[in-house]
Amino acid sequence: MSLTNKSLELICDAKKTVGQVTHELNQSPSFQQAKSAITNTTNSALTADIPNIKLMNFFAVFSLALMLLSTFCPVMNVFGSRMPLNDIAPIWLYIVTIFALCSHLFGFKQLISRGTLFILLLSTSFTVYQEISDVFQATQMFGSVNRKEVIRGIVEGLRYADVGFYMFISSFVLTVIATIKPGYKTNHALWDKLVSK
């Protein structure tokens, strides 16, 4: 079995595992409680006075919107088959990203918005690390392949990178900058309305 076929098999296995985890997450009571809390907050936001709603923090909003958009664009083009990230991205990652985007857009408390960005970056980094680790483990099945050869293979694999890959890398860097960038704007009037309801 070629390295490409083995990699595709690993991707299929990862997709099945993600599907199972997503199903289990949807069944968990904690997820249902979080979903209920988000629904209550959304309802409070919808009943807030329109003058209290201001759109702000456009840099972070742009980087998060670009990250969401990148998952729907093809990330790899292998043998004419184009694969978008949303085929393997878990649903909870979308939930965290959308919450972070709304939090920045409407000016929730800085601790909440930046904390959500930090969680998003940490979980995304860990997911990428796991994928690279799986590639290293897969190559060990073919005998003693040293790390330099694997890294060279990954670098050569970048030839197959498509527009989604570059968009995702750009949005990830912009999100890191948004996490440490000073000048966050909080909409205190809206936040007071959300907390008081």
Side-chain angles (χ1 to χ4, degrees), residues 156-177:
E156 288 178 11
L158 291 177
R159 291 183 305 169
Y160 302 105
D162 213 330
V163 65
F165 175 81
Y166 298 109
M167 285 175 66
F168 181 78
I169 294 297
S170 301
S171 65
F172 188 84
V173 171
L174 290 174
T175 306
V176 169
I177 294 170

Side-chain angles (χ1 to χ4, degrees), residues 45-46 50-66 68 96-110 112-114 116-117 178 183-191 194:
L46 292 175
I50 296 299
N52 289 333
I53 296 177
K54 299 175 186 174
L55 304 182
M56 45 189 57
N57 303 308
F58 292 113
F59 182 80
V61 169
F62 171 75
S63 62
L64 290 165
L66 185 63
L68 282 174
V96 172
T97 307
I98 291 170
F99 180 78
L101 190 147
C102 292
S103 177
H104 279 82
L105 184 64
F106 296 119
F108 287 11
K109 289 285 188 181
Q110 183 176 4
I112 294 172
S113 297
R114 295 284 169 91
T116 309
L117 276 187
Y184 179 84
K185 294 179 182 175
T186 303
N187 187 349
H188 297 286
L190 178 62
W191 180 255
L194 291 176

Side-chain angles (χ1 to χ4, degrees), residues 1-14 78 83 131 134-136 138-139 141-142 154:
M1 182 180 289
S2 70
L3 183 60
T4 303
N5 288 340
K6 187 62 181 174
S7 299
L8 291 174
E9 184 179 319
L10 284 172
I11 289 171
C12 289
D13 290 343
V78 182
M83 182 183 75
E131 293 297 324
D134 289 344
V135 170
F136 277 112
T139 57
M141 289 190 244
F142 298 107
I154 291 172

Side-chain angles (χ1 to χ4, degrees), residues 89-158:
I91 191 75
W92 60 265
L93 207 55
Y94 284 97
I95 293 170
V96 172
T97 307
I98 291 170
F99 180 78
L101 190 147
C102 292
S103 177
H104 279 82
L105 184 64
F106 296 119
F108 287 11
K109 289 285 188 181
Q110 183 176 4
L111 182 64
I112 294 172
S113 297
R114 295 284 169 91
T116 309
L117 276 187
F118 183 74
I119 290 169
L120 176 66
L121 292 173
L122 197 64
S123 56
T124 303
S125 300
F126 182 71
T127 304
V128 170
Y129 170 78
Q130 279 186 319
E131 293 297 324
I132 292 173
S133 178
D134 289 344
V135 170
F136 277 112
Q137 287 179 358
T139 57
Q140 295 302 318
M141 289 190 244
F142 298 107
S144 60
V145 180
N146 64 29
R147 290 187 180 271
K148 286 184 181 178
E149 291 177 2
V150 174
I151 292 171
R152 190 181 309 122
I154 291 172
V155 170
E156 288 178 11
L158 291 177

